[in-house]
Amino acid sequence: QEQLVESGGEAVQPGGSLELSCEASGYSGGLYYIAWFRQAPGKEREGVATMYIAGESIYYHDSVKGRFTISYDNAKNILHLFMSNLKPEDTATYYCASAPLHASGARWLATSAYNKWGRGTRVTVSS
C-alpha cells in the first residue's frame, strides 16, 4: 500500500531555515512524480515544488524559487524540502503527494494530478 509520511515541521523565526522530509513506501509499481504542497489557514492548497524522479525534472512555484530546494534520496525513498530565508507567508501545513506517470498537469503542480497524499506537517514562521 502506497504511503507518504511527512516530518520536520516546526516553528521558526523569519529568515530561518528548515528541512522537511517525506518517507515514501509501498510504491511497487513505481514512483514518478512526487511533490510538496502547502495549505495556509483559510486558503486553498497550493503546489510548492515537484520532481519527476526518473528524469530528475524539477519545478518550483514562483513564490519559493531561490529559497526552497527539493531533492529525493533514492536509496532511502525520502523526499526532502530544504527551506531557507523563511517568511511569515510560508506558514502552512506542508503535504507530500505523488502522481502517476501520465497524470495531466503533474509537472506543473496541478493539485488534481496528485492522487496520494500524506497527512501533513505544520510549519510556522513567526517572530
Side-chain angles (χ1 to χ4, degrees), residues 47-65:
V48 174
T50 187
M51 170 180 278
Y52 175 59
I53 292 177
E56 299 186 359
S57 175
I58 292 173
Y59 176 80
Y60 294 99
H61 188 278
D62 286 346
S63 66
V64 305
K65 282 181 180 177

Side-chain angles (χ1 to χ4, degrees), residues 1-37:
Q1 183 177 356
E2 298 169 346
Q3 189 174 14
L4 299 167
V5 179
E6 306 94 334
S7 63
E10 63 182 60
V12 296
Q13 292 188 343
S17 300
L18 190 65
E19 184 170 35
L20 306 182
S21 297
C22 170
E23 184 173 357
S25 61
Y27 285 81
S28 58
L31 180 59
Y32 300 100
Y33 290 94
I34 190 164
W36 288 99
F37 286 76

Side-chain angles (χ1 to χ4, degrees), residues 85-96:
N85 191 22
L86 283 161
K87 305 175 181 181
E89 51 263 42
D90 294 318
T91 294
T93 297
Y94 283 71
Y95 298 90
C96 181

